[in-house]
Amino acid sequence: MIVQPFATPALPPFLDLLGIAVFAISGALAAVKMRQTFVTTCFFALVTGVGGGSVRDVLIGLRAFWISDPWVAAVVLASALLVWLTPSRWWEGMLLEWADALGLAVFCVLGTAKALAYGVAPLPAAVLGVVTGCVGGMIRDVLAGVPSILMRPELYVTAAALSAGLCAIFTALDVPPAWGWSIAALAGFALRGAAMVWKIELPTYRAE
Amino acid sequence: MIVQPFATPALPPFLDLLGIAVFAISGALAAVKMRQTFVTTCFFALVTGVGGGSVRDVLIGLRAFWISDPWVAAVVLASALLVWLTPSRWWEGMLLEWADALGLAVFCVLGTAKALAYGVAPLPAAVLGVVTGCVGGMIRDVLAGVPSILMRPELYVTAAALSAGLCAIFTALDVPPAWGWSIAALAGFALRGAAMVWKIELPTYRAE
Amino acid sequence: MIVQPFATPALPPFLDLLGIAVFAISGALAAVKMRQTFVTTCFFALVTGVGGGSVRDVLIGLRAFWISDPWVAAVVLASALLVWLTPSRWWEGMLLEWADALGLAVFCVLGTAKALAYGVAPLPAAVLGVVTGCVGGMIRDVLAGVPSILMRPELYVTAAALSAGLCAIFTALDVPPAWGWSIAALAGFALRGAAMVWKIELPTYRAE
């Protein structure tokens, strides 16, 4: 266990919790679309909101971030309550998808930066960034028994990999974090947004 | 990693291992109902018996409890052997369900108390208590490819949340553990028992 | 967290990475057989190649091995690229299955030996050895939505248990590692090989 006591990079707490709320809402929506109970809705909000960051922290050898921060669980439960009490058509349409795209890009950058801050080499740090952004949604899909976002040709994990990879590269090149992180997050967000607008898909395997 | 060397709250070891055996037996039964082999039966007994506590420990930043205690793995294997060698109709009926309800309530309380003892705030500690009681069964269901207990409207995760939440509240109010833990466990056990006897279900999402 | 700074047992690095590559290739092949994209192929290569060892390390209370070693992620990505760029019929036939059988036996021994080196008792150490060899493939199967190797009557987890168990027993008996590890790995490899050649299966549960 080589863990430096280090200032973890972070968004201003308000933005960080907002990002967790967006992911938690997407998990809660998956549950109410399956007509689940409120308790199940909370559980889906939790695994989607904190699953990716938890797996990242545990792989680095750290306590999961939401264990040390009492606000995260409160935000997750409030997100579940909000979804439970409102008509699901409020949440249809593209607003949530755009918020999710932004959350994905931002969390991939923050996850990569946190790994780098704990001494992880650039390539595994970028992998941990992708894990931060994507694994919560994968656990949600596995628990719900639906095909994972991982299995669809949409540019989702790819956008995550772009943000995480750029963050690792910019940090290795000593680009100031304010610039490097912003460009990395915007690039992944733009790619995911373009994929949503123009239905861009990656080619699938064709060699026989 | 902020881990105080702390006396972990625990049942008398005999009762603790008995609870693990109940969960392990339920995992082994899931395997033999699918006509699996003995090795697979052992694996299901393991993930069901120790899965929830392992996820709790790892999220707190601890070594999983059964890694440090050679008796746990032995009890899990003995449970699998017991199920394998006996006719499965011995295990039908309600005895195992009542034992599972008791195990659920007790482990949710112990999981919450362990998290509190390691300095986790009350709300995330209660979440970890629910994780302790429920996640082993969820991993069992995902591996078996059957719908998780999480997805059924039965009061199962809800009973877990009641026990874990009461444990966190009583501890915050400085109720003596002998009282607080017992009342918390009995409340969850009573709710789960009532749900089994009267088929109580939570309402599912209806807002449109 | 009781973690001794200890020389972790290891293969010569070249062989260790070769074993990871074999597992990563089997994960990448599962992805291309489902006609997935390149990014998904990389993700499957990753979870299959490093999943088992990661779960072992995290349960022991360690940082996952590939977080500290930048080469592992590079080998995983190269394996995914190799599979992506070559016709999948190159990989059919038995070569990959034999390589997987060898990788399984070797990683079960190494996983057990690593756990023993960190002070884990023999029985849980052998369980962690089986986890090292088998869990990556299980995560791959769950993500892909196909029945896990765990659920098939083939001697796969059994061969893993043989290698891991022999390694733990030989170490407890102070057999020199060069001998004990080799015999343990060969026994598991031979059992898995015999199962492939003669289609040996374990009996499934029949008691009613």
Side-chain angles (χ1 to χ4, degrees), chain B residues 20 23-28 30-31 39-55 65-66 72 76-77 80 131-144, chain C residues 55 59 127 131 135 138 150-151:
Chain B
I20 289 166
F23 277 2
I25 287 171
S26 91
V39 170
T40 302
T41 303
C42 289
F43 207 94
F44 270 91
L46 183 78
V47 296
T48 314
V50 307
S54 300
V55 171
F65 69 99
W66 59 277
V72 176
V76 163
L77 296 186
V131 163
T132 306
C134 300
V135 165
M138 287 180 199
I139 302 175
R140 174 197 64 205
D141 293 341
V142 163
L143 282 178
Chain C
V55 171
L59 288 172
V127 171
V131 163
V135 164
M138 286 180 199
L150 179 64
M151 310 290 282

mmCIF file of all heavy atoms in Angstrom, chain B residues 20 23-28 30-31 39-55 65-66 72 76-77 80 131-144, chain C residues 55 59 127 131 135 138 150-151:
data_model
loop_
_atom_site.group_PDB
_atom_site.id
_atom_site.type_symbol
_atom_site.label_atom_id
_atom_site.label_comp_id
_atom_site.label_asym_id
_atom_site.label_seq_id
_atom_site.Cartn_x
_atom_site.Cartn_y
_atom_site.Cartn_z
ATOM 1 N N ILE B 20 -23.062 -16.580 9.053
ATOM 2 C CA ILE B 20 -22.399 -16.802 7.763
ATOM 3 C C ILE B 20 -22.842 -18.129 7.176
ATOM 4 O O ILE B 20 -23.088 -18.240 5.971
ATOM 5 C CB ILE B 20 -20.870 -16.741 7.949
ATOM 6 C CG1 ILE B 20 -20.443 -15.295 8.235
ATOM 7 C CG2 ILE B 20 -20.142 -17.275 6.725
ATOM 8 C CD1 ILE B 20 -19.040 -15.149 8.753
ATOM 9 N N PHE B 23 -26.259 -17.783 5.434
ATOM 10 C CA PHE B 23 -26.141 -17.170 4.117
ATOM 11 C C PHE B 23 -25.463 -18.128 3.127
ATOM 12 O O PHE B 23 -25.879 -18.230 1.963
ATOM 13 C CB PHE B 23 -25.341 -15.867 4.209
ATOM 14 C CG PHE B 23 -26.160 -14.683 4.637
ATOM 15 C CD1 PHE B 23 -27.501 -14.791 4.948
ATOM 16 C CD2 PHE B 23 -25.590 -13.421 4.725
ATOM 17 C CE1 PHE B 23 -28.263 -13.690 5.327
ATOM 18 C CE2 PHE B 23 -26.336 -12.314 5.105
ATOM 19 C CZ PHE B 23 -27.666 -12.447 5.408
ATOM 20 N N ALA B 24 -24.433 -18.828 3.578
ATOM 21 C CA ALA B 24 -23.727 -19.765 2.692
ATOM 22 C C ALA B 24 -24.667 -20.885 2.240
ATOM 23 O O ALA B 24 -24.648 -21.298 1.077
ATOM 24 C CB ALA B 24 -22.503 -20.350 3.407
ATOM 25 N N ILE B 25 -25.510 -21.374 3.170
ATOM 26 C CA ILE B 25 -26.460 -22.425 2.794
ATOM 27 C C ILE B 25 -27.432 -21.913 1.738
ATOM 28 O O ILE B 25 -27.755 -22.620 0.775
ATOM 29 C CB ILE B 25 -27.201 -22.937 4.052
ATOM 30 C CG1 ILE B 25 -26.244 -23.802 4.891
ATOM 31 C CG2 ILE B 25 -28.453 -23.728 3.689
ATOM 32 C CD1 ILE B 25 -26.791 -24.189 6.252
ATOM 33 N N SER B 26 -27.878 -20.666 1.876
ATOM 34 C CA SER B 26 -28.815 -20.142 0.870
ATOM 35 C C SER B 26 -28.131 -20.041 -0.490
ATOM 36 O O SER B 26 -28.749 -20.279 -1.528
ATOM 37 C CB SER B 26 -29.415 -18.808 1.322
ATOM 38 O OG SER B 26 -28.651 -17.722 0.864
ATOM 39 N N GLY B 27 -26.842 -19.703 -0.508
ATOM 40 C CA GLY B 27 -26.109 -19.678 -1.775
ATOM 41 C C GLY B 27 -25.944 -21.072 -2.351
ATOM 42 O O GLY B 27 -26.133 -21.294 -3.558
ATOM 43 N N ALA B 28 -25.601 -22.039 -1.486
ATOM 44 C CA ALA B 28 -25.418 -23.411 -1.962
ATOM 45 C C ALA B 28 -26.734 -23.971 -2.502
ATOM 46 O O ALA B 28 -26.749 -24.690 -3.514
ATOM 47 C CB ALA B 28 -24.884 -24.285 -0.825
ATOM 48 N N ALA B 30 -29.139 -22.273 -3.924
ATOM 49 C CA ALA B 30 -29.350 -21.698 -5.261
ATOM 50 C C ALA B 30 -28.584 -22.503 -6.303
ATOM 51 O O ALA B 30 -29.083 -22.752 -7.412
ATOM 52 C CB ALA B 30 -28.902 -20.227 -5.282
ATOM 53 N N ALA B 31 -27.375 -22.952 -5.957
ATOM 54 C CA ALA B 31 -26.563 -23.708 -6.914
ATOM 55 C C ALA B 31 -27.144 -25.100 -7.155
ATOM 56 O O ALA B 31 -27.235 -25.545 -8.301
ATOM 57 C CB ALA B 31 -25.118 -23.811 -6.401
ATOM 58 N N VAL B 39 -18.145 -28.029 -6.914
ATOM 59 C CA VAL B 39 -17.233 -26.878 -6.880
ATOM 60 C C VAL B 39 -18.015 -25.582 -7.066
ATOM 61 O O VAL B 39 -17.789 -24.583 -6.379
ATOM 62 C CB VAL B 39 -16.128 -27.039 -7.945
ATOM 63 C CG1 VAL B 39 -15.328 -25.761 -8.080
ATOM 64 C CG2 VAL B 39 -15.222 -28.196 -7.574
ATOM 65 N N THR B 40 -18.947 -25.579 -7.993
ATOM 66 C CA THR B 40 -19.777 -24.396 -8.204
ATOM 67 C C THR B 40 -20.610 -24.109 -6.960
ATOM 68 O O THR B 40 -20.808 -22.941 -6.577
ATOM 69 C CB THR B 40 -20.690 -24.612 -9.423
ATOM 70 O OG1 THR B 40 -19.860 -24.889 -10.545
ATOM 71 C CG2 THR B 40 -21.540 -23.397 -9.701
ATOM 72 N N THR B 41 -21.105 -25.162 -6.328
ATOM 73 C CA THR B 41 -21.883 -24.996 -5.098
ATOM 74 C C THR B 41 -21.044 -24.297 -4.026
ATOM 75 O O THR B 41 -21.521 -23.383 -3.328
ATOM 76 C CB THR B 41 -22.384 -26.365 -4.620
ATOM 77 O OG1 THR B 41 -23.153 -26.965 -5.671
ATOM 78 C CG2 THR B 41 -23.234 -26.246 -3.367
ATOM 79 N N CYS B 42 -19.777 -24.705 -3.903
ATOM 80 C CA CYS B 42 -18.889 -24.046 -2.938
ATOM 81 C C CYS B 42 -18.707 -22.572 -3.279
ATOM 82 O O CYS B 42 -18.712 -21.710 -2.389
ATOM 83 C CB CYS B 42 -17.510 -24.717 -2.948
ATOM 84 S SG CYS B 42 -17.502 -26.351 -2.234
ATOM 85 N N PHE B 43 -18.548 -22.283 -4.552
ATOM 86 C CA PHE B 43 -18.322 -20.892 -4.952
ATOM 87 C C PHE B 43 -19.548 -20.032 -4.646
ATOM 88 O O PHE B 43 -19.433 -18.909 -4.146
ATOM 89 C CB PHE B 43 -17.982 -20.836 -6.450
ATOM 90 C CG PHE B 43 -17.154 -19.652 -6.807
ATOM 91 C CD1 PHE B 43 -15.770 -19.759 -6.862
ATOM 92 C CD2 PHE B 43 -17.734 -18.422 -7.065
ATOM 93 C CE1 PHE B 43 -14.988 -18.660 -7.176
ATOM 94 C CE2 PHE B 43 -16.962 -17.319 -7.378
ATOM 95 C CZ PHE B 43 -15.587 -17.437 -7.439
ATOM 96 N N PHE B 44 -20.735 -20.563 -4.913
ATOM 97 C CA PHE B 44 -21.958 -19.818 -4.576
ATOM 98 C C PHE B 44 -22.093 -19.643 -3.066
ATOM 99 O O PHE B 44 -22.522 -18.579 -2.592
ATOM 100 C CB PHE B 44 -23.196 -20.529 -5.132
ATOM 101 C CG PHE B 44 -23.551 -20.077 -6.508
ATOM 102 C CD1 PHE B 44 -23.040 -20.713 -7.616
ATOM 103 C CD2 PHE B 44 -24.395 -18.992 -6.696
ATOM 104 C CE1 PHE B 44 -23.355 -20.285 -8.893
ATOM 105 C CE2 PHE B 44 -24.721 -18.554 -7.972
ATOM 106 C CZ PHE B 44 -24.197 -19.205 -9.075
ATOM 107 N N ALA B 45 -21.750 -20.679 -2.305
ATOM 108 C CA ALA B 45 -21.801 -20.548 -0.848
ATOM 109 C C ALA B 45 -20.856 -19.443 -0.395
ATOM 110 O O ALA B 45 -21.190 -18.626 0.476
ATOM 111 C CB ALA B 45 -21.421 -21.882 -0.193
ATOM 112 N N LEU B 46 -19.683 -19.383 -1.025
ATOM 113 C CA LEU B 46 -18.696 -18.370 -0.636
ATOM 114 C C LEU B 46 -19.185 -16.956 -0.924
ATOM 115 O O LEU B 46 -19.183 -16.103 -0.031
ATOM 116 C CB LEU B 46 -17.377 -18.628 -1.378
ATOM 117 C CG LEU B 46 -16.250 -17.678 -1.008
ATOM 118 C CD1 LEU B 46 -15.636 -18.069 0.327
ATOM 119 C CD2 LEU B 46 -15.172 -17.637 -2.086
ATOM 120 N N VAL B 47 -19.606 -16.696 -2.162
ATOM 121 C CA VAL B 47 -19.964 -15.310 -2.482
ATOM 122 C C VAL B 47 -21.189 -14.873 -1.693
ATOM 123 O O VAL B 47 -21.289 -13.713 -1.283
ATOM 124 C CB VAL B 47 -20.188 -15.074 -3.993
ATOM 125 C CG1 VAL B 47 -18.911 -15.298 -4.770
ATOM 126 C CG2 VAL B 47 -21.309 -15.892 -4.550
ATOM 127 N N THR B 48 -22.116 -15.797 -1.457
ATOM 128 C CA THR B 48 -23.302 -15.411 -0.701
ATOM 129 C C THR B 48 -22.974 -15.207 0.780
ATOM 130 O O THR B 48 -23.479 -14.287 1.425
ATOM 131 C CB THR B 48 -24.400 -16.477 -0.851
ATOM 132 O OG1 THR B 48 -24.511 -16.831 -2.231
ATOM 133 C CG2 THR B 48 -25.729 -15.969 -0.353
ATOM 134 N N GLY B 49 -22.108 -16.070 1.315
ATOM 135 C CA GLY B 49 -21.789 -15.995 2.736
ATOM 136 C C GLY B 49 -20.918 -14.808 3.095
ATOM 137 O O GLY B 49 -21.109 -14.190 4.139
ATOM 138 N N VAL B 50 -19.943 -14.476 2.249
ATOM 139 C CA VAL B 50 -18.991 -13.433 2.624
ATOM 140 C C VAL B 50 -19.005 -12.222 1.693
ATOM 141 O O VAL B 50 -18.275 -11.253 1.950
ATOM 142 C CB VAL B 50 -17.542 -13.984 2.707
ATOM 143 C CG1 VAL B 50 -17.475 -15.210 3.604
ATOM 144 C CG2 VAL B 50 -16.968 -14.287 1.340
ATOM 145 N N GLY B 51 -19.843 -12.241 0.643
ATOM 146 C CA GLY B 51 -19.814 -11.151 -0.334
ATOM 147 C C GLY B 51 -20.132 -9.787 0.255
ATOM 148 O O GLY B 51 -19.426 -8.807 0.014
ATOM 149 N N GLY B 52 -21.208 -9.709 1.031
ATOM 150 C CA GLY B 52 -21.621 -8.414 1.572
ATOM 151 C C GLY B 52 -20.606 -7.831 2.528
ATOM 152 O O GLY B 52 -20.233 -6.653 2.409
ATOM 153 N N GLY B 53 -20.122 -8.645 3.448
ATOM 154 C CA GLY B 53 -19.113 -8.159 4.393
ATOM 155 C C GLY B 53 -17.807 -7.796 3.707
ATOM 156 O O GLY B 53 -17.117 -6.863 4.124
ATOM 157 N N SER B 54 -17.473 -8.526 2.626
ATOM 158 C CA SER B 54 -16.238 -8.215 1.900
ATOM 159 C C SER B 54 -16.334 -6.854 1.229
ATOM 160 O O SER B 54 -15.395 -6.052 1.292
ATOM 161 C CB SER B 54 -15.969 -9.277 0.826
ATOM 162 O OG SER B 54 -15.823 -10.545 1.402
ATOM 163 N N VAL B 55 -17.462 -6.585 0.567
ATOM 164 C CA VAL B 55 -17.619 -5.289 -0.098
ATOM 165 C C VAL B 55 -17.580 -4.168 0.939
ATOM 166 O O VAL B 55 -16.933 -3.132 0.732
ATOM 167 C CB VAL B 55 -18.917 -5.264 -0.933
ATOM 168 C CG1 VAL B 55 -19.201 -3.869 -1.454
ATOM 169 C CG2 VAL B 55 -18.817 -6.242 -2.089
ATOM 170 N N PHE B 65 -12.857 -9.418 6.005
ATOM 171 C CA PHE B 65 -12.812 -10.099 7.307
ATOM 172 C C PHE B 65 -12.434 -11.571 7.202
ATOM 173 O O PHE B 65 -11.753 -12.107 8.065
ATOM 174 C CB PHE B 65 -14.167 -9.946 8.015
ATOM 175 C CG PHE B 65 -15.286 -10.697 7.362
ATOM 176 C CD1 PHE B 65 -15.708 -11.923 7.833
ATOM 177 C CD2 PHE B 65 -15.925 -10.177 6.238
ATOM 178 C CE1 PHE B 65 -16.744 -12.620 7.225
ATOM 179 C CE2 PHE B 65 -16.958 -10.864 5.617
ATOM 180 C CZ PHE B 65 -17.363 -12.086 6.109
ATOM 181 N N TRP B 66 -12.861 -12.245 6.146
ATOM 182 C CA TRP B 66 -12.624 -13.693 6.069
ATOM 183 C C TRP B 66 -11.193 -14.017 5.627
ATOM 184 O O TRP B 66 -10.760 -15.172 5.726
ATOM 185 C CB TRP B 66 -13.627 -14.357 5.136
ATOM 186 C CG TRP B 66 -13.611 -13.852 3.736
ATOM 187 C CD1 TRP B 66 -14.244 -12.736 3.261
ATOM 188 C CD2 TRP B 66 -12.933 -14.425 2.614
ATOM 189 N NE1 TRP B 66 -13.993 -12.587 1.918
ATOM 190 C CE2 TRP B 66 -13.202 -13.608 1.500
ATOM 191 C CE3 TRP B 66 -12.120 -15.552 2.447
ATOM 192 C CZ2 TRP B 66 -12.683 -13.876 0.234
ATOM 193 C CZ3 TRP B 66 -11.606 -15.815 1.180
ATOM 194 C CH2 TRP B 66 -11.902 -14.978 0.087
ATOM 195 N N VAL B 72 -13.797 -18.803 8.771
ATOM 196 C CA VAL B 72 -14.928 -18.439 7.918
ATOM 197 C C VAL B 72 -14.975 -19.305 6.669
ATOM 198 O O VAL B 72 -16.015 -19.880 6.328
ATOM 199 C CB VAL B 72 -14.872 -16.943 7.545
ATOM 200 C CG1 VAL B 72 -15.982 -16.598 6.577
ATOM 201 C CG2 VAL B 72 -14.960 -16.081 8.795
ATOM 202 N N VAL B 76 -17.891 -21.943 5.434
ATOM 203 C CA VAL B 76 -18.539 -21.842 4.121
ATOM 204 C C VAL B 76 -18.463 -23.182 3.387
ATOM 205 O O VAL B 76 -19.463 -23.662 2.829
ATOM 206 C CB VAL B 76 -17.881 -20.708 3.303
ATOM 207 C CG1 VAL B 76 -18.231 -20.831 1.833
ATOM 208 C CG2 VAL B 76 -18.294 -19.347 3.850
ATOM 209 N N LEU B 77 -17.275 -23.804 3.392
ATOM 210 C CA LEU B 77 -17.136 -25.084 2.690
ATOM 211 C C LEU B 77 -17.977 -26.167 3.363
ATOM 212 O O LEU B 77 -18.603 -26.988 2.684
ATOM 213 C CB LEU B 77 -15.662 -25.500 2.629
ATOM 214 C CG LEU B 77 -14.771 -24.564 1.812
ATOM 215 C CD1 LEU B 77 -13.373 -25.142 1.684
ATOM 216 C CD2 LEU B 77 -15.360 -24.313 0.423
ATOM 217 N N ALA B 80 -21.521 -25.779 2.251
ATOM 218 C CA ALA B 80 -21.727 -26.281 0.893
ATOM 219 C C ALA B 80 -21.797 -27.810 0.899
ATOM 220 O O ALA B 80 -22.633 -28.415 0.212
ATOM 221 C CB ALA B 80 -20.604 -25.798 -0.023
ATOM 222 N N VAL B 131 -25.412 -2.813 2.710
ATOM 223 C CA VAL B 131 -24.509 -3.526 1.806
ATOM 224 C C VAL B 131 -24.098 -4.862 2.430
ATOM 225 O O VAL B 131 -24.111 -5.909 1.777
ATOM 226 C CB VAL B 131 -23.274 -2.651 1.494
ATOM 227 C CG1 VAL B 131 -22.134 -3.482 0.905
ATOM 228 C CG2 VAL B 131 -23.653 -1.521 0.539
ATOM 229 N N THR B 132 -23.747 -4.835 3.728
ATOM 230 C CA THR B 132 -23.322 -6.060 4.412
ATOM 231 C C THR B 132 -24.399 -7.140 4.337
ATOM 232 O O THR B 132 -24.116 -8.312 4.094
ATOM 233 C CB THR B 132 -23.023 -5.765 5.900
ATOM 234 O OG1 THR B 132 -22.096 -4.693 5.972
ATOM 235 C CG2 THR B 132 -22.462 -6.982 6.609
ATOM 236 N N GLY B 133 -25.651 -6.724 4.538
ATOM 237 C CA GLY B 133 -26.723 -7.706 4.577
ATOM 238 C C GLY B 133 -27.178 -8.182 3.217
ATOM 239 O O GLY B 133 -27.599 -9.330 3.066
ATOM 240 N N CYS B 134 -27.109 -7.325 2.228
ATOM 241 C CA CYS B 134 -27.792 -7.622 0.953
ATOM 242 C C CYS B 134 -26.876 -7.969 -0.220
ATOM 243 O O CYS B 134 -27.327 -8.644 -1.154
ATOM 244 C CB CYS B 134 -28.643 -6.420 0.522
ATOM 245 S SG CYS B 134 -29.903 -5.983 1.715
ATOM 246 N N VAL B 135 -25.642 -7.495 -0.236
ATOM 247 C CA VAL B 135 -24.850 -7.590 -1.468
ATOM 248 C C VAL B 135 -24.430 -9.023 -1.779
ATOM 249 O O VAL B 135 -24.326 -9.403 -2.955
ATOM 250 C CB VAL B 135 -23.646 -6.626 -1.401
ATOM 251 C CG1 VAL B 135 -22.614 -6.951 -2.462
ATOM 252 C CG2 VAL B 135 -24.153 -5.195 -1.606
ATOM 253 N N GLY B 136 -24.203 -9.853 -0.753
ATOM 254 C CA GLY B 136 -23.868 -11.245 -1.030
ATOM 255 C C GLY B 136 -24.946 -11.922 -1.854
ATOM 256 O O GLY B 136 -24.655 -12.602 -2.847
ATOM 257 N N GLY B 137 -26.207 -11.715 -1.470
ATOM 258 C CA GLY B 137 -27.314 -12.290 -2.228
ATOM 259 C C GLY B 137 -27.421 -11.717 -3.630
ATOM 260 O O GLY B 137 -27.812 -12.421 -4.572
ATOM 261 N N MET B 138 -27.068 -10.424 -3.769
ATOM 262 C CA MET B 138 -27.131 -9.829 -5.117
ATOM 263 C C MET B 138 -26.079 -10.429 -6.037
ATOM 264 O O MET B 138 -26.363 -10.727 -7.205
ATOM 265 C CB MET B 138 -26.916 -8.318 -5.021
ATOM 266 C CG MET B 138 -28.116 -7.603 -4.442
ATOM 267 S SD MET B 138 -27.804 -5.835 -4.355
ATOM 268 C CE MET B 138 -29.077 -5.394 -3.160
ATOM 269 N N ILE B 139 -24.848 -10.617 -5.527
ATOM 270 C CA ILE B 139 -23.808 -11.226 -6.359
ATOM 271 C C ILE B 139 -24.232 -12.652 -6.738
ATOM 272 O O ILE B 139 -24.088 -13.070 -7.890
ATOM 273 C CB ILE B 139 -22.452 -11.239 -5.622
ATOM 274 C CG1 ILE B 139 -22.023 -9.819 -5.233
ATOM 275 C CG2 ILE B 139 -21.370 -11.879 -6.496
ATOM 276 C CD1 ILE B 139 -20.745 -9.769 -4.404
ATOM 277 N N ARG B 140 -24.781 -13.386 -5.764
ATOM 278 C CA ARG B 140 -25.283 -14.741 -6.056
ATOM 279 C C ARG B 140 -26.283 -14.699 -7.208
ATOM 280 O O ARG B 140 -26.186 -15.488 -8.157
ATOM 281 C CB ARG B 140 -25.971 -15.300 -4.795
ATOM 282 C CG ARG B 140 -26.675 -16.639 -4.985
ATOM 283 C CD ARG B 140 -27.656 -16.890 -3.838
ATOM 284 N NE ARG B 140 -28.719 -15.879 -3.844
ATOM 285 C CZ ARG B 140 -29.430 -15.498 -2.789
ATOM 286 N NH1 ARG B 140 -29.213 -16.048 -1.628
ATOM 287 N NH2 ARG B 140 -30.362 -14.564 -2.901
ATOM 288 N N ASP B 141 -27.232 -13.750 -7.165
ATOM 289 C CA ASP B 141 -28.267 -13.705 -8.201
ATOM 290 C C ASP B 141 -27.700 -13.299 -9.551
ATOM 291 O O ASP B 141 -28.106 -13.838 -10.588
ATOM 292 C CB ASP B 141 -29.379 -12.733 -7.774
ATOM 293 C CG ASP B 141 -30.142 -13.249 -6.561
ATOM 294 O OD1 ASP B 141 -30.067 -14.463 -6.276
ATOM 295 O OD2 ASP B 141 -30.815 -12.456 -5.893
ATOM 296 N N VAL B 142 -26.739 -12.349 -9.558
ATOM 297 C CA VAL B 142 -26.138 -11.931 -10.828
ATOM 298 C C VAL B 142 -25.366 -13.092 -11.446
ATOM 299 O O VAL B 142 -25.484 -13.371 -12.649
ATOM 300 C CB VAL B 142 -25.213 -10.708 -10.618
ATOM 301 C CG1 VAL B 142 -24.281 -10.516 -11.806
ATOM 302 C CG2 VAL B 142 -26.050 -9.457 -10.396
ATOM 303 N N LEU B 143 -24.580 -13.822 -10.636
ATOM 304 C CA LEU B 143 -23.829 -14.957 -11.174
ATOM 305 C C LEU B 143 -24.763 -16.047 -11.682
ATOM 306 O O LEU B 143 -24.481 -16.710 -12.675
ATOM 307 C CB LEU B 143 -22.914 -15.549 -10.101
ATOM 308 C CG LEU B 143 -21.620 -14.789 -9.817
ATOM 309 C CD1 LEU B 143 -20.858 -15.476 -8.706
ATOM 310 C CD2 LEU B 143 -20.755 -14.713 -11.067
ATOM 311 N N ALA B 144 -25.891 -16.229 -10.990
ATOM 312 C CA ALA B 144 -26.831 -17.269 -11.407
ATOM 313 C C ALA B 144 -27.696 -16.813 -12.584
ATOM 314 O O ALA B 144 -28.387 -17.627 -13.182
ATOM 315 C CB ALA B 144 -27.723 -17.666 -10.231
ATOM 316 N N VAL C 55 -9.261 -8.412 -7.799
ATOM 317 C CA VAL C 55 -10.146 -8.771 -6.687
ATOM 318 C C VAL C 55 -9.329 -9.384 -5.554
ATOM 319 O O VAL C 55 -9.530 -9.074 -4.378
ATOM 320 C CB VAL C 55 -11.267 -9.712 -7.165
ATOM 321 C CG1 VAL C 55 -12.060 -10.260 -5.995
ATOM 322 C CG2 VAL C 55 -12.184 -8.975 -8.130
ATOM 323 N N LEU C 59 -9.119 -7.667 -1.828
ATOM 324 C CA LEU C 59 -9.586 -8.408 -0.648
ATOM 325 C C LEU C 59 -8.477 -8.519 0.401
ATOM 326 O O LEU C 59 -8.746 -8.493 1.604
ATOM 327 C CB LEU C 59 -10.070 -9.808 -1.046
ATOM 328 C CG LEU C 59 -11.397 -9.858 -1.802
ATOM 329 C CD1 LEU C 59 -11.664 -11.267 -2.313
ATOM 330 C CD2 LEU C 59 -12.556 -9.407 -0.914
ATOM 331 N N VAL C 127 -8.441 -20.102 -1.485
ATOM 332 C CA VAL C 127 -9.634 -19.478 -2.076
ATOM 333 C C VAL C 127 -9.228 -18.278 -2.919
ATOM 334 O O VAL C 127 -9.724 -18.079 -4.046
ATOM 335 C CB VAL C 127 -10.635 -19.070 -0.978
ATOM 336 C CG1 VAL C 127 -11.764 -18.244 -1.559
ATOM 337 C CG2 VAL C 127 -11.190 -20.303 -0.270
ATOM 338 N N VAL C 131 -9.786 -17.414 -6.874
ATOM 339 C CA VAL C 131 -10.310 -16.110 -7.301
ATOM 340 C C VAL C 131 -9.400 -15.492 -8.362
ATOM 341 O O VAL C 131 -9.870 -14.980 -9.394
ATOM 342 C CB VAL C 131 -10.456 -15.172 -6.079
ATOM 343 C CG1 VAL C 131 -10.599 -13.722 -6.497
ATOM 344 C CG2 VAL C 131 -11.637 -15.613 -5.216
ATOM 345 N N VAL C 135 -11.908 -15.299 -11.540
ATOM 346 C CA VAL C 135 -12.873 -14.206 -11.438
ATOM 347 C C VAL C 135 -12.849 -13.268 -12.649
ATOM 348 O O VAL C 135 -13.882 -12.725 -13.040
ATOM 349 C CB VAL C 135 -12.684 -13.441 -10.110
ATOM 350 C CG1 VAL C 135 -13.378 -12.100 -10.128
ATOM 351 C CG2 VAL C 135 -13.225 -14.289 -8.964
ATOM 352 N N MET C 138 -15.161 -14.649 -15.023
ATOM 353 C CA MET C 138 -16.556 -14.514 -14.573
ATOM 354 C C MET C 138 -17.081 -13.093 -14.825
ATOM 355 O O MET C 138 -18.220 -12.932 -15.265
ATOM 356 C CB MET C 138 -16.653 -14.819 -13.073
ATOM 357 C CG MET C 138 -16.523 -16.306 -12.782
ATOM 358 S SD MET C 138 -16.635 -16.597 -11.012
ATOM 359 C CE MET C 138 -15.883 -18.228 -10.957
ATOM 360 N N LEU C 150 -18.408 -20.683 -14.526
ATOM 361 C CA LEU C 150 -18.783 -21.232 -13.220
ATOM 362 C C LEU C 150 -19.988 -22.149 -13.321
ATOM 363 O O LEU C 150 -20.154 -23.077 -12.517
ATOM 364 C CB LEU C 150 -19.093 -20.051 -12.296
ATOM 365 C CG LEU C 150 -19.528 -20.330 -10.873
ATOM 366 C CD1 LEU C 150 -18.418 -21.023 -10.110
ATOM 367 C CD2 LEU C 150 -19.905 -19.044 -10.171
ATOM 368 N N MET C 151 -20.888 -21.883 -14.275
ATOM 369 C CA MET C 151 -22.150 -22.600 -14.362
ATOM 370 C C MET C 151 -22.063 -23.827 -15.257
ATOM 371 O O MET C 151 -23.064 -24.503 -15.460
ATOM 372 C CB MET C 151 -23.237 -21.680 -14.906
ATOM 373 C CG MET C 151 -23.330 -20.345 -14.199
ATOM 374 S SD MET C 151 -23.955 -20.522 -12.543
ATOM 375 C CE MET C 151 -25.692 -20.715 -12.916
#
